Amino acid sequence: MDTLLTLSGSAVLVLSWFSLVVSSAKEDFTWGLCSFFLPPVSYLYSLFRLDVAKDAVILALIGLALLALGS
């Protein structure tokens, strides 16, 4: 059960990162490139543009909760 929660949490975190890359690339190509090559930058972007990236932040929080439950 722990392995399933950990894998699910990791998958949700990857989906949230991909969502952040897409939303940042739609707004500005430079942010999109930085988010793609430096994944922590995408979460920094989400803090500045919470109105655009709130769904991805919610996904990331769900993924972190699943990871916490799995460990």
Side-chain angles (χ1 to χ4, degrees):
M1 185 70 172
D2 294 338
T3 307
L4 181 64
L5 285 172
T6 304
L7 286 174
S8 299
S10 299
V12 171
L13 278 175
V14 168
L15 286 174
S16 73
W17 172 73
F18 184 71
S19 175
L20 284 173
V21 169
V22 169
S23 65
S24 63
K26 281 183 182 179
E27 188 165 330
D28 186 17
F29 185 70
T30 307
W31 269 112
L33 282 177
C34 288
S35 295
F36 182 76
F37 289 112
L38 302 168
V41 171
S42 61
Y43 292 104
L44 179 69
Y45 165 79
S46 69
L47 293 177
F48 290 115
R49 296 295 307 203
L50 195 57
D51 57 332
V52 175
K54 70 178 175 182
D55 294 334
V57 171
I58 291 171
L59 268 177
L61 291 174
I62 291 170
L64 288 174
L66 288 173
L67 280 175
L69 288 173
S71 59

